[in-house]
Amino acid sequence: MIILSKKNKFFADDGWAFWVDGDDTSTIYLNSWLNPKGKSYMDVSIHIRGIKETKSLNMYFPFSVDKSEIEDVSLNFKDENLSRAIFSSMCVVDYKKNNVTSEIAYNGKTVDIVHVSAVDYSLKSVSKGTLMNISFDGIFEYLDNDEVYFMFRIPHKSITEVFKQRTKVGSFLTRIRDMIMSPIVSENYGYSVRINEARLLPKEINSVGAFHRQKLKKAVVTISIADDYEINDVACYRIRRLEEELYKNFLPSSFNIRNIVTYQWQQSREVNLKGQFNFYFSIFRNSISSGSVLIYILIIILLNAVGSSLWDLIKTVYALITQ
């Protein structure tokens, strides 16, 4: 994870890696819940086809993650409204059909959902990030289907750090001057998601042979953010307001379901045969500074007080002169 600043535009350049050890064709889904005023989160979902011919799932995150920070969001599929929202289809859910998985039938097929909270996995610090490994040895006996989803949520620490940078720009006096000169606050962020791109990954990942043999078929990146922020959506293939009734029990804390807009992009291996994907987003907002408004009010009060005192002084002097 690299954080850069240029002309008060802050951006993160994130390198992620996903590969399955074995003969599969998989799809990665990354859903960023962005909160410029607090903590942001990333929902990670991996769809594996042909899991019974594979051995393990490996994921590299560009920041530190520990087990206490991994939330098993697949447990929310007990709510069938959520499965309808996620799969964009009416679903039949066999929730927790055993100790490890649930089963969902939709669009004429059936898939298993593996609950990561019910399986063993390892986390290892690699460079400035974290390598997560899920071995399938203890999972196969619970699978009835050859298509499987893994889903979980982690704190999105890189973008949270980018949003924090805005509050650190300039000295106190500089910020006061800026608030007096202009009441408009411009927030300008950039965010890059690079998946399986060797140039941004540590040597420990690049030295893994299975990583270079990965068959990632498609990457889908989603950004969900409050509607008072704007995002460059030229290449976006789907924009929608988040459905309140479907997602109300799924949002991370501090998010308001009433004002969330979702943007979605996708890239496929047909365009990049190496299975490397690169997404870039600009996020911006112009708003009235509450600090500027407060300063203007104080200036008006001060001028009014000074003006009133000056007028009283003028009247007193005039009275003395005309006596």
Side-chain angles (χ1 to χ4, degrees), residues 175-187:
R175 293 198 296 271
I176 293 295
R177 181 203 64 193
D178 292 343
M179 284 190 289
I180 293 174
M181 296 297 292
S182 173
I184 304 298
V185 176
S186 294
E187 300 175 53

Side-chain angles (χ1 to χ4, degrees), residues 244-279:
E244 183 175 345
E245 287 303 312
L246 301 183
Y247 284 92
K248 62 183 179 181
N249 298 319
F250 188 70
L251 266 69
S253 59
S254 77
F255 280 76
N256 182 359
I257 185 64
R258 297 178 183 272
N259 70 343
I260 300 297
V261 175
T262 291
Y263 305 79
Q264 198 165 66
W265 296 260
Q266 66 178 3
Q267 295 178 15
S268 72
R269 194 182 183 92
E270 295 174 0
V271 177
N272 188 325
L273 296 179
K274 293 182 178 181
Q276 300 175 355
F277 307 104
N278 192 326
F279 300 83

Side-chain angles (χ1 to χ4, degrees), residues 92-284:
V92 178
V93 180
D94 185 357
Y95 183 71
K96 283 196 170 182
K97 66 176 183 177
N98 54 53
N99 293 332
V100 173
T101 69
S102 294
E103 187 177 78
I104 296 181
Y106 69 102
N107 291 343
K109 65 179 180 179
T110 306
V111 301
D112 285 321
I113 309 293
V114 176
H115 303 301
V116 295
S117 58
V119 302
D120 290 329
Y121 60 87
S122 65
L123 296 177
K124 178 183 177 182
S125 295
V126 175
S127 186
K128 296 180 180 179
T130 304
L131 177 63
M132 181 177 183
N133 172 269
I134 302 176
S135 173
F136 297 158
D137 289 340
I139 296 178
F140 287 133
E141 61 182 293
Y142 298 99
L143 301 179
D144 292 327
N145 303 282
D146 211 20
E147 288 192 36
V148 171
Y149 281 90
F150 293 83
M151 303 178 181
F152 55 90
R153 176 175 294 162
I154 56 178
H156 197 168
K157 296 179 180 178
S158 54
I159 199 67
T160 296
E161 188 62 29
V162 166
F163 291 143
K164 284 182 180 179
Q165 300 300 311
R166 178 175 60 88
T167 63
K168 301 177 183 180
V169 179
S171 65
F172 173 75
L173 292 177
T174 300
R175 293 198 296 271
I176 293 295
R177 181 203 64 193
D178 292 343
M179 284 190 289
I180 293 174
M181 296 297 292
S182 173
I184 304 298
V185 176
S186 294
E187 300 175 53
N188 196 0
Y189 312 102
Y191 178 47
S192 171
V193 178
R194 292 200 262 173
I195 299 172
N196 289 356
E197 190 172 318
R199 285 175 292 188
L200 206 60
L201 295 172
K203 61 181 181 180
E204 294 89 342
I205 302 300
N206 280 306
S207 64
V208 177
F211 165 66
H212 296 283
R213 294 191 297 271
Q214 56 83 21
K215 299 178 181 178
L216 199 59
K217 178 181 180 181
K218 184 170 68 173
V220 180
V221 173
T222 303
I223 287 181
S224 300
I225 194 169
D227 56 11
D228 54 344
Y229 285 86
E230 300 288 337
I231 292 183
N232 63 315
D233 55 11
V234 175
C236 181
Y237 83 94
R238 180 179 296 160
I239 304 174
R240 75 183 201 278
R241 183 170 292 277
L242 210 60
E243 297 81 7
E244 183 175 345
E245 287 303 312
L246 301 183
Y247 284 92
K248 62 183 179 181
N249 298 319
F250 188 70
L251 266 69
S253 59
S254 77
F255 280 76
N256 182 359
I257 185 64
R258 297 178 183 272
N259 70 343
I260 300 297
V261 175
T262 291
Y263 305 79
Q264 198 165 66
W265 296 260
Q266 66 178 3
Q267 295 178 15
S268 72
R269 194 182 183 92
E270 295 174 0
V271 177
N272 188 325
L273 296 179
K274 293 182 178 181
Q276 300 175 355
F277 307 104
N278 192 326
F279 300 83
Y280 179 79
F281 316 101
S282 290
I283 305 162
F284 50 93

